[in-house]
Amino acid sequence: MRTDAANVDQPATTPAFQRISFGRKAKNHLATTLFALAFLIAVVPLLWVIYTLLSRGLKPLLSTNWWSHSFSGLLPTDFGGGINHALAGTLLQGLVTAVISVPLGVMVAIYLVEYGQGSRFARAATFMVDILSGLPSIVAGLFIYALWITTFGLNRSAFAVSLSLVLLMLPMVVRTTETMLRIVPDELREASYALGVPKWKTIVRVVLPTALSGILTGVMLGLARVLGETAPLLILVGYTNSISYNMFGGEMASLPLTIYMERGTATEAGDYRMWGAALTLVLVIMLINLVATALSKLFAVKTK
């Protein structure tokens, strides 16, 4: 009986690591190879684009007049000039777009998370945001053209461009803000309510500061995305070689529109200015992404 008891209490001895079969090794190597090839297929075009931009667009950026002058007075065959007019127009249109879309997007997201909570109006708003998320830029430009110019009889202007960019940026702001607000723990809201703080003040003083880091990141990334749109610019505003700050009338340059117009010159000088404007646009978008990263770390909730 002792022998039987000892055999029962003794655990079964199995090897810690069994021999891996040839089929499993082959599948593992095949999957590794496929993932590596997919990575190379995605990276090679990116490196090619970066190399092309640097090789063709770096020379204009290193010229002394590129950042301080415009293309005013230049002939299609003249080298030189600067991107000052297009850079100012792009930043001004982006600023107006952000001023309109950010408050609207944040307030819509607050309603959906804090007040709507599955109501019919909230479901309708969510459905409309989903539609705007897939709206092509050319359709947004045509809608503003039909409303702003055809219906109201107003002139083509940079402000109309900003309105079309609002339609493209607004769903990104709403989705990002909504996601960040849902991440905020309900315990923070309940603690604030327990102290007698009204709901609106809880949202302003507790919920929004907690989610501010992610909201700012989404806003900056959404702005970087819409600044590269070209279709609304072709429909809603004319191009000028000189700098302009008039948002409600006249022509205004921008980086995407400058790239398009210089491409149509079919001259060596036009290619020179086109690639310089393209590299400038990439640098502006990269700078916005870096600012978004810095703001995310600056306004992140401190855990210690």
Side-chain angles (χ1 to χ4, degrees), residues 16-55:
F17 299 97
Q18 297 181 355
R19 183 176 178 274
I20 300 176
S21 64
F22 175 78
R24 294 180 62 185
K25 289 182 179 179
K27 293 178 181 178
N28 180 66
H29 290 311
L30 178 61
T32 303
T33 303
L34 291 177
F35 283 126
L37 288 176
F39 174 77
L40 291 177
I41 292 174
V43 170
V44 169
L46 176 61
L47 295 178
W48 195 354
V49 169
I50 294 176
Y51 170 75
T52 304
L53 283 173
L54 291 177
S55 61

PDB file of all heavy atoms in Angstrom, residues 16-55:
ATOM      1  N   ALA A  16       9.871  19.776 -19.841  1.00  0.00           N
ATOM      2  CA  ALA A  16       9.434  21.171 -19.835  1.00  0.00           C
ATOM      3  C   ALA A  16       9.241  21.703 -21.253  1.00  0.00           C
ATOM      4  O   ALA A  16       8.327  22.476 -21.526  1.00  0.00           O
ATOM      5  CB  ALA A  16      10.441  22.022 -19.073  1.00  0.00           C
ATOM      6  N   PHE A  17      10.092  21.329 -22.176  1.00  0.00           N
ATOM      7  CA  PHE A  17      10.003  21.795 -23.557  1.00  0.00           C
ATOM      8  C   PHE A  17       9.994  20.584 -24.479  1.00  0.00           C
ATOM      9  O   PHE A  17      10.903  19.754 -24.443  1.00  0.00           O
ATOM     10  CB  PHE A  17      11.188  22.704 -23.907  1.00  0.00           C
ATOM     11  CG  PHE A  17      11.243  23.940 -23.062  1.00  0.00           C
ATOM     12  CD1 PHE A  17      12.060  24.002 -21.950  1.00  0.00           C
ATOM     13  CD2 PHE A  17      10.457  25.038 -23.383  1.00  0.00           C
ATOM     14  CE1 PHE A  17      12.101  25.140 -21.183  1.00  0.00           C
ATOM     15  CE2 PHE A  17      10.503  26.179 -22.604  1.00  0.00           C
ATOM     16  CZ  PHE A  17      11.320  26.232 -21.497  1.00  0.00           C
ATOM     17  N   GLN A  18       8.955  20.487 -25.260  1.00  0.00           N
ATOM     18  CA  GLN A  18       8.865  19.401 -26.209  1.00  0.00           C
ATOM     19  C   GLN A  18       9.528  19.807 -27.531  1.00  0.00           C
ATOM     20  O   GLN A  18       9.663  20.995 -27.835  1.00  0.00           O
ATOM     21  CB  GLN A  18       7.409  19.024 -26.449  1.00  0.00           C
ATOM     22  CG  GLN A  18       6.702  18.492 -25.203  1.00  0.00           C
ATOM     23  CD  GLN A  18       5.276  18.106 -25.491  1.00  0.00           C
ATOM     24  OE1 GLN A  18       4.787  18.316 -26.593  1.00  0.00           O
ATOM     25  NE2 GLN A  18       4.624  17.541 -24.501  1.00  0.00           N
ATOM     26  N   ARG A  19       9.886  18.848 -28.302  1.00  0.00           N
ATOM     27  CA  ARG A  19      10.537  19.097 -29.582  1.00  0.00           C
ATOM     28  C   ARG A  19       9.530  19.718 -30.555  1.00  0.00           C
ATOM     29  O   ARG A  19       8.430  19.209 -30.736  1.00  0.00           O
ATOM     30  CB  ARG A  19      11.076  17.787 -30.149  1.00  0.00           C
ATOM     31  CG  ARG A  19      11.851  17.951 -31.459  1.00  0.00           C
ATOM     32  CD  ARG A  19      12.435  16.628 -31.894  1.00  0.00           C
ATOM     33  NE  ARG A  19      13.132  16.756 -33.150  1.00  0.00           N
ATOM     34  CZ  ARG A  19      12.563  16.662 -34.357  1.00  0.00           C
ATOM     35  NH1 ARG A  19      11.250  16.408 -34.424  1.00  0.00           N
ATOM     36  NH2 ARG A  19      13.268  16.795 -35.468  1.00  0.00           N
ATOM     37  N   ILE A  20       9.926  20.867 -31.152  1.00  0.00           N
ATOM     38  CA  ILE A  20       9.050  21.574 -32.086  1.00  0.00           C
ATOM     39  C   ILE A  20       9.100  20.860 -33.421  1.00  0.00           C
ATOM     40  O   ILE A  20      10.167  20.574 -33.966  1.00  0.00           O
ATOM     41  CB  ILE A  20       9.492  23.037 -32.241  1.00  0.00           C
ATOM     42  CG1 ILE A  20       9.446  23.740 -30.882  1.00  0.00           C
ATOM     43  CG2 ILE A  20       8.595  23.775 -33.238  1.00  0.00           C
ATOM     44  CD1 ILE A  20       9.949  25.167 -30.919  1.00  0.00           C
ATOM     45  N   SER A  21       7.938  20.618 -33.968  1.00  0.00           N
ATOM     46  CA  SER A  21       7.849  19.880 -35.224  1.00  0.00           C
ATOM     47  C   SER A  21       8.337  20.740 -36.388  1.00  0.00           C
ATOM     48  O   SER A  21       8.382  21.974 -36.318  1.00  0.00           O
ATOM     49  CB  SER A  21       6.414  19.435 -35.469  1.00  0.00           C
ATOM     50  OG  SER A  21       5.568  20.567 -35.629  1.00  0.00           O
ATOM     51  N   PHE A  22       8.679  20.064 -37.469  1.00  0.00           N
ATOM     52  CA  PHE A  22       9.156  20.754 -38.664  1.00  0.00           C
ATOM     53  C   PHE A  22       8.059  21.639 -39.262  1.00  0.00           C
ATOM     54  O   PHE A  22       8.331  22.737 -39.767  1.00  0.00           O
ATOM     55  CB  PHE A  22       9.626  19.721 -39.697  1.00  0.00           C
ATOM     56  CG  PHE A  22      10.017  20.341 -41.010  1.00  0.00           C
ATOM     57  CD1 PHE A  22      11.247  20.970 -41.159  1.00  0.00           C
ATOM     58  CD2 PHE A  22       9.142  20.309 -42.098  1.00  0.00           C
ATOM     59  CE1 PHE A  22      11.598  21.553 -42.371  1.00  0.00           C
ATOM     60  CE2 PHE A  22       9.494  20.895 -43.309  1.00  0.00           C
ATOM     61  CZ  PHE A  22      10.727  21.509 -43.444  1.00  0.00           C
ATOM     62  N   GLY A  23       6.798  21.201 -39.210  1.00  0.00           N
ATOM     63  CA  GLY A  23       5.706  21.996 -39.759  1.00  0.00           C
ATOM     64  C   GLY A  23       5.524  23.315 -39.034  1.00  0.00           C
ATOM     65  O   GLY A  23       5.306  24.355 -39.665  1.00  0.00           O
ATOM     66  N   ARG A  24       5.628  23.310 -37.718  1.00  0.00           N
ATOM     67  CA  ARG A  24       5.475  24.556 -36.946  1.00  0.00           C
ATOM     68  C   ARG A  24       6.631  25.506 -37.234  1.00  0.00           C
ATOM     69  O   ARG A  24       6.443  26.724 -37.335  1.00  0.00           O
ATOM     70  CB  ARG A  24       5.400  24.240 -35.458  1.00  0.00           C
ATOM     71  CG  ARG A  24       4.146  23.457 -35.055  1.00  0.00           C
ATOM     72  CD  ARG A  24       4.129  23.168 -33.580  1.00  0.00           C
ATOM     73  NE  ARG A  24       4.088  24.392 -32.789  1.00  0.00           N
ATOM     74  CZ  ARG A  24       4.158  24.424 -31.452  1.00  0.00           C
ATOM     75  NH1 ARG A  24       4.268  23.287 -30.775  1.00  0.00           N
ATOM     76  NH2 ARG A  24       4.105  25.560 -30.819  1.00  0.00           N
ATOM     77  N   LYS A  25       7.857  24.957 -37.347  1.00  0.00           N
ATOM     78  CA  LYS A  25       9.000  25.812 -37.676  1.00  0.00           C
ATOM     79  C   LYS A  25       8.825  26.440 -39.056  1.00  0.00           C
ATOM     80  O   LYS A  25       9.113  27.632 -39.256  1.00  0.00           O
ATOM     81  CB  LYS A  25      10.283  24.992 -37.634  1.00  0.00           C
ATOM     82  CG  LYS A  25      10.731  24.562 -36.247  1.00  0.00           C
ATOM     83  CD  LYS A  25      12.037  23.798 -36.322  1.00  0.00           C
ATOM     84  CE  LYS A  25      12.505  23.375 -34.931  1.00  0.00           C
ATOM     85  NZ  LYS A  25      13.785  22.608 -34.992  1.00  0.00           N
ATOM     86  N   ALA A  26       8.346  25.664 -40.017  1.00  0.00           N
ATOM     87  CA  ALA A  26       8.160  26.184 -41.372  1.00  0.00           C
ATOM     88  C   ALA A  26       7.103  27.288 -41.395  1.00  0.00           C
ATOM     89  O   ALA A  26       7.284  28.324 -42.054  1.00  0.00           O
ATOM     90  CB  ALA A  26       7.773  25.040 -42.307  1.00  0.00           C
ATOM     91  N   LYS A  27       5.997  27.091 -40.685  1.00  0.00           N
ATOM     92  CA  LYS A  27       4.959  28.122 -40.618  1.00  0.00           C
ATOM     93  C   LYS A  27       5.471  29.393 -39.954  1.00  0.00           C
ATOM     94  O   LYS A  27       5.145  30.511 -40.377  1.00  0.00           O
ATOM     95  CB  LYS A  27       3.746  27.581 -39.866  1.00  0.00           C
ATOM     96  CG  LYS A  27       3.005  26.456 -40.593  1.00  0.00           C
ATOM     97  CD  LYS A  27       1.848  25.950 -39.760  1.00  0.00           C
ATOM     98  CE  LYS A  27       1.116  24.814 -40.467  1.00  0.00           C
ATOM     99  NZ  LYS A  27      -0.011  24.269 -39.650  1.00  0.00           N
ATOM    100  N   ASN A  28       6.286  29.234 -38.902  1.00  0.00           N
ATOM    101  CA  ASN A  28       6.837  30.395 -38.218  1.00  0.00           C
ATOM    102  C   ASN A  28       7.768  31.185 -39.140  1.00  0.00           C
ATOM    103  O   ASN A  28       7.696  32.422 -39.218  1.00  0.00           O
ATOM    104  CB  ASN A  28       7.590  29.945 -36.963  1.00  0.00           C
ATOM    105  CG  ASN A  28       8.189  31.120 -36.208  1.00  0.00           C
ATOM    106  OD1 ASN A  28       7.471  31.963 -35.680  1.00  0.00           O
ATOM    107  ND2 ASN A  28       9.518  31.179 -36.156  1.00  0.00           N
ATOM    108  N   HIS A  29       8.645  30.485 -39.866  1.00  0.00           N
ATOM    109  CA  HIS A  29       9.554  31.163 -40.787  1.00  0.00           C
ATOM    110  C   HIS A  29       8.784  31.809 -41.939  1.00  0.00           C
ATOM    111  O   HIS A  29       9.131  32.924 -42.382  1.00  0.00           O
ATOM    112  CB  HIS A  29      10.577  30.168 -41.338  1.00  0.00           C
ATOM    113  CG  HIS A  29      11.569  29.712 -40.318  1.00  0.00           C
ATOM    114  ND1 HIS A  29      12.264  30.580 -39.496  1.00  0.00           N
ATOM    115  CD2 HIS A  29      12.004  28.463 -39.970  1.00  0.00           C
ATOM    116  CE1 HIS A  29      13.069  29.914 -38.693  1.00  0.00           C
ATOM    117  NE2 HIS A  29      12.934  28.607 -38.956  1.00  0.00           N
ATOM    118  N   LEU A  30       7.743  31.156 -42.417  1.00  0.00           N
ATOM    119  CA  LEU A  30       6.935  31.726 -43.496  1.00  0.00           C
ATOM    120  C   LEU A  30       6.237  33.003 -43.048  1.00  0.00           C
ATOM    121  O   LEU A  30       6.226  34.016 -43.774  1.00  0.00           O
ATOM    122  CB  LEU A  30       5.911  30.693 -43.974  1.00  0.00           C
ATOM    123  CG  LEU A  30       4.954  31.166 -45.076  1.00  0.00           C
ATOM    124  CD1 LEU A  30       5.726  31.552 -46.331  1.00  0.00           C
ATOM    125  CD2 LEU A  30       3.917  30.088 -45.385  1.00  0.00           C
ATOM    126  N   ALA A  31       5.647  32.977 -41.839  1.00  0.00           N
ATOM    127  CA  ALA A  31       4.972  34.174 -41.323  1.00  0.00           C
ATOM    128  C   ALA A  31       5.972  35.309 -41.114  1.00  0.00           C
ATOM    129  O   ALA A  31       5.689  36.473 -41.440  1.00  0.00           O
ATOM    130  CB  ALA A  31       4.259  33.840 -40.013  1.00  0.00           C
ATOM    131  N   THR A  32       7.147  35.004 -40.575  1.00  0.00           N
ATOM    132  CA  THR A  32       8.170  36.032 -40.371  1.00  0.00           C
ATOM    133  C   THR A  32       8.594  36.654 -41.696  1.00  0.00           C
ATOM    134  O   THR A  32       8.750  37.877 -41.807  1.00  0.00           O
ATOM    135  CB  THR A  32       9.391  35.432 -39.666  1.00  0.00           C
ATOM    136  OG1 THR A  32       8.977  34.842 -38.433  1.00  0.00           O
ATOM    137  CG2 THR A  32      10.442  36.499 -39.396  1.00  0.00           C
ATOM    138  N   THR A  33       8.770  35.812 -42.720  1.00  0.00           N
ATOM    139  CA  THR A  33       9.164  36.314 -44.037  1.00  0.00           C
ATOM    140  C   THR A  33       8.090  37.198 -44.645  1.00  0.00           C
ATOM    141  O   THR A  33       8.374  38.258 -45.203  1.00  0.00           O
ATOM    142  CB  THR A  33       9.468  35.134 -44.976  1.00  0.00           C
ATOM    143  OG1 THR A  33      10.485  34.310 -44.393  1.00  0.00           O
ATOM    144  CG2 THR A  33       9.946  35.642 -46.331  1.00  0.00           C
ATOM    145  N   LEU A  34       6.829  36.784 -44.525  1.00  0.00           N
ATOM    146  CA  LEU A  34       5.733  37.572 -45.084  1.00  0.00           C
ATOM    147  C   LEU A  34       5.606  38.924 -44.391  1.00  0.00           C
ATOM    148  O   LEU A  34       5.402  39.956 -45.053  1.00  0.00           O
ATOM    149  CB  LEU A  34       4.420  36.789 -44.974  1.00  0.00           C
ATOM    150  CG  LEU A  34       4.299  35.540 -45.865  1.00  0.00           C
ATOM    151  CD1 LEU A  34       2.984  34.835 -45.596  1.00  0.00           C
ATOM    152  CD2 LEU A  34       4.415  35.910 -47.336  1.00  0.00           C
ATOM    153  N   PHE A  35       5.742  38.952 -43.055  1.00  0.00           N
ATOM    154  CA  PHE A  35       5.662  40.222 -42.337  1.00  0.00           C
ATOM    155  C   PHE A  35       6.829  41.130 -42.707  1.00  0.00           C
ATOM    156  O   PHE A  35       6.662  42.353 -42.844  1.00  0.00           O
ATOM    157  CB  PHE A  35       5.641  39.976 -40.832  1.00  0.00           C
ATOM    158  CG  PHE A  35       4.323  39.498 -40.319  1.00  0.00           C
ATOM    159  CD1 PHE A  35       4.233  38.334 -39.574  1.00  0.00           C
ATOM    160  CD2 PHE A  35       3.158  40.202 -40.568  1.00  0.00           C
ATOM    161  CE1 PHE A  35       3.014  37.883 -39.098  1.00  0.00           C
ATOM    162  CE2 PHE A  35       1.927  39.762 -40.098  1.00  0.00           C
ATOM    163  CZ  PHE A  35       1.862  38.594 -39.359  1.00  0.00           C
ATOM    164  N   ALA A  36       8.025  40.561 -42.869  1.00  0.00           N
ATOM    165  CA  ALA A  36       9.180  41.362 -43.263  1.00  0.00           C
ATOM    166  C   ALA A  36       8.993  41.940 -44.663  1.00  0.00           C
ATOM    167  O   ALA A  36       9.303  43.117 -44.914  1.00  0.00           O
ATOM    168  CB  ALA A  36      10.451  40.519 -43.195  1.00  0.00           C
ATOM    169  N   LEU A  37       8.464  41.142 -45.585  1.00  0.00           N
ATOM    170  CA  LEU A  37       8.209  41.627 -46.934  1.00  0.00           C
ATOM    171  C   LEU A  37       7.147  42.723 -46.935  1.00  0.00           C
ATOM    172  O   LEU A  37       7.271  43.723 -47.662  1.00  0.00           O
ATOM    173  CB  LEU A  37       7.773  40.469 -47.834  1.00  0.00           C
ATOM    174  CG  LEU A  37       8.862  39.462 -48.219  1.00  0.00           C
ATOM    175  CD1 LEU A  37       8.260  38.325 -49.031  1.00  0.00           C
ATOM    176  CD2 LEU A  37       9.983  40.144 -48.998  1.00  0.00           C
ATOM    177  N   ALA A  38       6.090  42.544 -46.144  1.00  0.00           N
ATOM    178  CA  ALA A  38       5.057  43.582 -46.056  1.00  0.00           C
ATOM    179  C   ALA A  38       5.635  44.884 -45.514  1.00  0.00           C
ATOM    180  O   ALA A  38       5.295  45.978 -45.983  1.00  0.00           O
ATOM    181  CB  ALA A  38       3.913  43.089 -45.173  1.00  0.00           C
ATOM    182  N   PHE A  39       6.520  44.774 -44.533  1.00  0.00           N
ATOM    183  CA  PHE A  39       7.169  45.971 -43.981  1.00  0.00           C
ATOM    184  C   PHE A  39       8.020  46.667 -45.038  1.00  0.00           C
ATOM    185  O   PHE A  39       7.974  47.900 -45.178  1.00  0.00           O
ATOM    186  CB  PHE A  39       8.026  45.570 -42.781  1.00  0.00           C
ATOM    187  CG  PHE A  39       8.847  46.701 -42.220  1.00  0.00           C
ATOM    188  CD1 PHE A  39       8.260  47.676 -41.438  1.00  0.00           C
ATOM    189  CD2 PHE A  39      10.208  46.783 -42.492  1.00  0.00           C
ATOM    190  CE1 PHE A  39       9.008  48.723 -40.926  1.00  0.00           C
ATOM    191  CE2 PHE A  39      10.957  47.818 -41.992  1.00  0.00           C
ATOM    192  CZ  PHE A  39      10.362  48.794 -41.201  1.00  0.00           C
ATOM    193  N   LEU A  40       8.777  45.900 -45.810  1.00  0.00           N
ATOM    194  CA  LEU A  40       9.611  46.489 -46.854  1.00  0.00           C
ATOM    195  C   LEU A  40       8.768  47.125 -47.948  1.00  0.00           C
ATOM    196  O   LEU A  40       9.091  48.209 -48.449  1.00  0.00           O
ATOM    197  CB  LEU A  40      10.535  45.426 -47.449  1.00  0.00           C
ATOM    198  CG  LEU A  40      11.649  44.912 -46.538  1.00  0.00           C
ATOM    199  CD1 LEU A  40      12.425  43.801 -47.241  1.00  0.00           C
ATOM    200  CD2 LEU A  40      12.584  46.044 -46.124  1.00  0.00           C
ATOM    201  N   ILE A  41       7.652  46.456 -48.312  1.00  0.00           N
ATOM    202  CA  ILE A  41       6.777  47.009 -49.342  1.00  0.00           C
ATOM    203  C   ILE A  41       6.192  48.350 -48.896  1.00  0.00           C
ATOM    204  O   ILE A  41       6.000  49.262 -49.704  1.00  0.00           O
ATOM    205  CB  ILE A  41       5.653  46.009 -49.672  1.00  0.00           C
ATOM    206  CG1 ILE A  41       6.246  44.779 -50.376  1.00  0.00           C
ATOM    207  CG2 ILE A  41       4.582  46.645 -50.547  1.00  0.00           C
ATOM    208  CD1 ILE A  41       5.240  43.673 -50.601  1.00  0.00           C
ATOM    209  N   ALA A  42       5.927  48.492 -47.586  1.00  0.00           N
ATOM    210  CA  ALA A  42       5.380  49.747 -47.073  1.00  0.00           C
ATOM    211  C   ALA A  42       6.453  50.817 -46.901  1.00  0.00           C
ATOM    212  O   ALA A  42       6.186  52.007 -47.105  1.00  0.00           O
ATOM    213  CB  ALA A  42       4.676  49.499 -45.740  1.00  0.00           C
ATOM    214  N   VAL A  43       7.676  50.422 -46.548  1.00  0.00           N
ATOM    215  CA  VAL A  43       8.730  51.387 -46.237  1.00  0.00           C
ATOM    216  C   VAL A  43       9.431  51.891 -47.488  1.00  0.00           C
ATOM    217  O   VAL A  43       9.775  53.079 -47.573  1.00  0.00           O
ATOM    218  CB  VAL A  43       9.744  50.762 -45.258  1.00  0.00           C
ATOM    219  CG1 VAL A  43      10.980  51.645 -45.120  1.00  0.00           C
ATOM    220  CG2 VAL A  43       9.103  50.557 -43.904  1.00  0.00           C
ATOM    221  N   VAL A  44       9.631  51.026 -48.470  1.00  0.00           N
ATOM    222  CA  VAL A  44      10.386  51.428 -49.661  1.00  0.00           C
ATOM    223  C   VAL A  44       9.731  52.613 -50.387  1.00  0.00           C
ATOM    224  O   VAL A  44      10.424  53.592 -50.717  1.00  0.00           O
ATOM    225  CB  VAL A  44      10.568  50.223 -50.607  1.00  0.00           C
ATOM    226  CG1 VAL A  44      11.100  50.679 -51.966  1.00  0.00           C
ATOM    227  CG2 VAL A  44      11.539  49.221 -49.990  1.00  0.00           C
ATOM    228  N   PRO A  45       8.419  52.612 -50.658  1.00  0.00           N
ATOM    229  CA  PRO A  45       7.832  53.807 -51.286  1.00  0.00           C
ATOM    230  C   PRO A  45       7.967  55.062 -50.420  1.00  0.00           C
ATOM    231  O   PRO A  45       8.169  56.160 -50.960  1.00  0.00           O
ATOM    232  CB  PRO A  45       6.357  53.415 -51.474  1.00  0.00           C
ATOM    233  CG  PRO A  45       6.347  51.934 -51.479  1.00  0.00           C
ATOM    234  CD  PRO A  45       7.425  51.530 -50.540  1.00  0.00           C
ATOM    235  N   LEU A  46       7.865  54.891 -49.102  1.00  0.00           N
ATOM    236  CA  LEU A  46       8.017  56.045 -48.224  1.00  0.00           C
ATOM    237  C   LEU A  46       9.426  56.632 -48.331  1.00  0.00           C
ATOM    238  O   LEU A  46       9.593  57.852 -48.443  1.00  0.00           O
ATOM    239  CB  LEU A  46       7.714  55.635 -46.781  1.00  0.00           C
ATOM    240  CG  LEU A  46       7.928  56.710 -45.712  1.00  0.00           C
ATOM    241  CD1 LEU A  46       7.022  57.909 -45.974  1.00  0.00           C
ATOM    242  CD2 LEU A  46       7.676  56.135 -44.322  1.00  0.00           C
ATOM    243  N   LEU A  47      10.423  55.770 -48.282  1.00  0.00           N
ATOM    244  CA  LEU A  47      11.804  56.253 -48.421  1.00  0.00           C
ATOM    245  C   LEU A  47      12.038  56.869 -49.795  1.00  0.00           C
ATOM    246  O   LEU A  47      12.765  57.862 -49.932  1.00  0.00           O
ATOM    247  CB  LEU A  47      12.777  55.098 -48.186  1.00  0.00           C
ATOM    248  CG  LEU A  47      12.781  54.502 -46.775  1.00  0.00           C
ATOM    249  CD1 LEU A  47      13.746  53.327 -46.699  1.00  0.00           C
ATOM    250  CD2 LEU A  47      13.132  55.553 -45.737  1.00  0.00           C
ATOM    251  N   TRP A  48      11.408  56.298 -50.806  1.00  0.00           N
ATOM    252  CA  TRP A  48      11.538  56.838 -52.163  1.00  0.00           C
ATOM    253  C   TRP A  48      10.949  58.250 -52.241  1.00  0.00           C
ATOM    254  O   TRP A  48      11.531  59.159 -52.846  1.00  0.00           O
ATOM    255  CB  TRP A  48      10.855  55.907 -53.148  1.00  0.00           C
ATOM    256  CG  TRP A  48      11.218  56.159 -54.582  1.00  0.00           C
ATOM    257  CD1 TRP A  48      11.977  57.180 -55.078  1.00  0.00           C
ATOM    258  CD2 TRP A  48      10.832  55.373 -55.710  1.00  0.00           C
ATOM    259  NE1 TRP A  48      12.095  57.089 -56.441  1.00  0.00           N
ATOM    260  CE2 TRP A  48      11.400  55.984 -56.860  1.00  0.00           C
ATOM    261  CE3 TRP A  48      10.070  54.217 -55.858  1.00  0.00           C
ATOM    262  CZ2 TRP A  48      11.212  55.479 -58.139  1.00  0.00           C
ATOM    263  CZ3 TRP A  48       9.898  53.708 -57.138  1.00  0.00           C
ATOM    264  CH2 TRP A  48      10.453  54.330 -58.256  1.00  0.00           C
ATOM    265  N   VAL A  49       9.773  58.426 -51.631  1.00  0.00           N
ATOM    266  CA  VAL A  49       9.144  59.749 -51.630  1.00  0.00           C
ATOM    267  C   VAL A  49      10.011  60.761 -50.886  1.00  0.00           C
ATOM    268  O   VAL A  49      10.222  61.895 -51.353  1.00  0.00           O
ATOM    269  CB  VAL A  49       7.739  59.663 -50.993  1.00  0.00           C
ATOM    270  CG1 VAL A  49       7.175  61.055 -50.744  1.00  0.00           C
ATOM    271  CG2 VAL A  49       6.792  58.875 -51.881  1.00  0.00           C
ATOM    272  N   ILE A  50      10.542  60.359 -49.730  1.00  0.00           N
ATOM    273  CA  ILE A  50      11.391  61.271 -48.958  1.00  0.00           C
ATOM    274  C   ILE A  50      12.640  61.641 -49.742  1.00  0.00           C
ATOM    275  O   ILE A  50      13.055  62.816 -49.777  1.00  0.00           O
ATOM    276  CB  ILE A  50      11.755  60.624 -47.605  1.00  0.00           C
ATOM    277  CG1 ILE A  50      10.501  60.465 -46.744  1.00  0.00           C
ATOM    278  CG2 ILE A  50      12.788  61.469 -46.867  1.00  0.00           C
ATOM    279  CD1 ILE A  50      10.749  59.752 -45.446  1.00  0.00           C
ATOM    280  N   TYR A  51      13.251  60.653 -50.386  1.00  0.00           N
ATOM    281  CA  TYR A  51      14.460  60.927 -51.178  1.00  0.00           C
ATOM    282  C   TYR A  51      14.147  61.878 -52.337  1.00  0.00           C
ATOM    283  O   TYR A  51      14.914  62.818 -52.612  1.00  0.00           O
ATOM    284  CB  TYR A  51      15.039  59.616 -51.715  1.00  0.00           C
ATOM    285  CG  TYR A  51      16.144  59.819 -52.725  1.00  0.00           C
ATOM    286  CD1 TYR A  51      17.420  60.209 -52.322  1.00  0.00           C
ATOM    287  CD2 TYR A  51      15.895  59.644 -54.097  1.00  0.00           C
ATOM    288  CE1 TYR A  51      18.428  60.419 -53.255  1.00  0.00           C
ATOM    289  CE2 TYR A  51      16.891  59.847 -55.028  1.00  0.00           C
ATOM    290  CZ  TYR A  51      18.157  60.235 -54.602  1.00  0.00           C
ATOM    291  OH  TYR A  51      19.163  60.441 -55.515  1.00  0.00           O
ATOM    292  N   THR A  52      13.023  61.651 -53.015  1.00  0.00           N
ATOM    293  CA  THR A  52      12.663  62.512 -54.137  1.00  0.00           C
ATOM    294  C   THR A  52      12.407  63.940 -53.679  1.00  0.00           C
ATOM    295  O   THR A  52      12.844  64.907 -54.321  1.00  0.00           O
ATOM    296  CB  THR A  52      11.411  61.955 -54.846  1.00  0.00           C
ATOM    297  OG1 THR A  52      11.653  60.608 -55.243  1.00  0.00           O
ATOM    298  CG2 THR A  52      11.064  62.787 -56.064  1.00  0.00           C
ATOM    299  N   LEU A  53      11.699  64.083 -52.564  1.00  0.00           N
ATOM    300  CA  LEU A  53      11.430  65.423 -52.045  1.00  0.00           C
ATOM    301  C   LEU A  53      12.709  66.151 -51.663  1.00  0.00           C
ATOM    302  O   LEU A  53      12.889  67.332 -51.976  1.00  0.00           O
ATOM    303  CB  LEU A  53      10.491  65.329 -50.837  1.00  0.00           C
ATOM    304  CG  LEU A  53       9.010  65.076 -51.118  1.00  0.00           C
ATOM    305  CD1 LEU A  53       8.262  64.836 -49.826  1.00  0.00           C
ATOM    306  CD2 LEU A  53       8.401  66.249 -51.865  1.00  0.00           C
ATOM    307  N   LEU A  54      13.603  65.436 -50.989  1.00  0.00           N
ATOM    308  CA  LEU A  54      14.844  66.078 -50.554  1.00  0.00           C
ATOM    309  C   LEU A  54      15.752  66.413 -51.728  1.00  0.00           C
ATOM    310  O   LEU A  54      16.370  67.488 -51.764  1.00  0.00           O
ATOM    311  CB  LEU A  54      15.577  65.176 -49.559  1.00  0.00           C
ATOM    312  CG  LEU A  54      14.902  65.000 -48.194  1.00  0.00           C
ATOM    313  CD1 LEU A  54      15.691  64.024 -47.339  1.00  0.00           C
ATOM    314  CD2 LEU A  54      14.760  66.335 -47.474  1.00  0.00           C
ATOM    315  N   SER A  55      15.843  65.506 -52.683  1.00  0.00           N
ATOM    316  CA  SER A  55      16.752  65.737 -53.809  1.00  0.00           C
ATOM    317  C   SER A  55      16.269  66.856 -54.728  1.00  0.00           C
ATOM    318  O   SER A  55      17.084  67.572 -55.321  1.00  0.00           O
ATOM    319  CB  SER A  55      16.919  64.434 -54.616  1.00  0.00           C
ATOM    320  OG  SER A  55      15.673  64.005 -55.141  1.00  0.00           O
TER     321      SER A  55
END
